[in-house]
Amino acid sequence: MGDIFKALADPTRRKILDELAERDGQTLFEICTRLTMKHGLTSSRQAISQHMDVLEEAGLIHTRREGRYKFHHLDPEPLRRLADRWLTKLKEKDP
Amino acid sequence: MGDIFKALADPTRRKILDELAERDGQTLFEICTRLTMKHGLTSSRQAISQHMDVLEEAGLIHTRREGRYKFHHLDPEPLRRLADRWLTKLKEKDP
DNA sequence: ACTATAGGCAAGTCGTCACTTGCCTATCAA
DNA sequence: TTGATAGGCAAGTGACGACTTGCCTATAGT
């Protein structure tokens, strides 16, 4: 639960999610180039890769390997469960 | 926008919000005692106070001073705008 | 006036986080 | 097979975040 918020706390990670929301199933290099092109990001490949790990551990994305490519797919489910907690009622347990 | 996620990233701050959601308008000491009682929190008064500052800067709570008391009120508005971004569509700007 | 209560301010510690650097593995194309 | 492409691993650095410690201000009760 807290992993999701921590993952969303970083602006670069949010931009990655935005990018995947706009075009799902991108590889690491695709995301890197598109982030630097469109959003003016200057982060290195390794930086983005580590952000991906955080997002995956939070369950916000899942990956699919194919040859030397690794495709990243967005999973909106955690966001939905998140909204359920904080908008219907705020007094759930904290797992 | 990112301030809200950073504020929600900490489990103690989420418990504070839970506490205020259950009983709005508490003072700092009330929240401190109730957190240690019900949730088994061991944080000091200053720690909680600093968490409050973070929550207030994020716009999640607002305060009202009255004599030597300072009452804390929850503001669900930012949470609502948050859900609007991440559940209707994910490709908004990042302000 | 004096004391207790509710809270604020600021420096300092310690751990985590974002990011870099350097090197290594694996897949594909020529 | 050689070289280029896509990605991984791990140690190290710098900054920020959570929390503590110590002291200070202001309001209220007696």
Side-chain angles (χ1 to χ4, degrees):
Chain A
M1 175 96 232
D3 291 340
I4 302 174
F5 287 111
K6 263 194 279 188
L8 292 171
D10 188 89
T12 303
R13 282 196 286 269
R14 287 198 300 275
K15 290 209 174 106
I16 292 175
L17 290 184
D18 290 340
E19 190 56 45
L20 283 179
E22 185 173 294
R23 191 173 199 271
D24 200 40
Q26 295 188 59
T27 70
L28 177 60
F29 265 79
E30 281 177 313
I31 294 173
C32 282
T33 56
R34 290 174 72 104
L35 279 182
T36 53
M37 293 299 111
K38 298 171 42 180
H39 301 275
L41 257 283
T42 62
S43 309
S44 69
R45 179 183 60 87
Q46 289 84 350
I48 303 292
S49 175
Q50 287 166 5
H51 281 307
M52 297 299 215
D53 294 342
V54 176
L55 289 172
E56 190 169 15
E57 274 191 67
L60 289 164
I61 66 175
H62 59 90
T63 60
R64 165 178 54 100
R65 192 110 209 198
E66 208 164 297
R68 64 173 160 174
Y69 299 105
K70 187 180 181 185
F71 301 100
H72 301 260
H73 296 270
L74 195 142
D75 187 358
E77 240 299 297
L79 297 169
R80 224 170 296 277
R81 290 190 291 102
L82 185 147
D84 283 349
R85 169 184 183 173
W86 291 96
L87 293 179
T88 63
K89 51 193 165 105
L90 286 126
K91 19 183 194 178
E92 298 295 331
K93 300 275 180 312
D94 207 60
Chain B
M1 175 96 233
D3 292 339
I4 302 174
F5 286 111
K6 265 194 278 188
L8 292 172
D10 189 89
T12 305
R13 282 196 285 269
R14 288 198 299 274
K15 291 210 174 104
I16 292 175
L17 290 183
D18 290 339
E19 189 56 46
L20 283 179
E22 185 174 294
R23 191 174 198 271
D24 200 41
Q26 296 188 59
T27 69
L28 177 59
F29 264 79
E30 281 178 313
I31 294 173
C32 282
T33 56
R34 291 173 72 105
L35 280 182
T36 54
M37 294 297 112
K38 298 171 42 179
H39 301 274
L41 257 282
T42 62
S43 308
S44 67
R45 179 183 60 87
Q46 289 83 351
I48 303 292
S49 175
Q50 286 167 4
H51 281 306
M52 296 298 215
D53 294 342
V54 175
L55 288 171
E56 190 169 14
E57 275 190 67
L60 289 164
I61 66 174
H62 59 91
T63 60
R64 164 179 54 99
R65 191 105 211 208
E66 205 164 301
R68 62 172 161 174
Y69 299 105
K70 187 181 182 184
F71 300 101
H72 301 260
H73 297 269
L74 194 141
D75 188 358
E77 242 298 298
L79 296 170
R80 224 169 295 276
R81 289 191 291 103
L82 186 147
D84 283 349
R85 171 186 180 170
W86 292 95
L87 295 180
T88 62
K89 52 192 165 109
L90 286 126
K91 23 184 191 177
E92 298 295 331
K93 300 276 183 309
D94 206 60

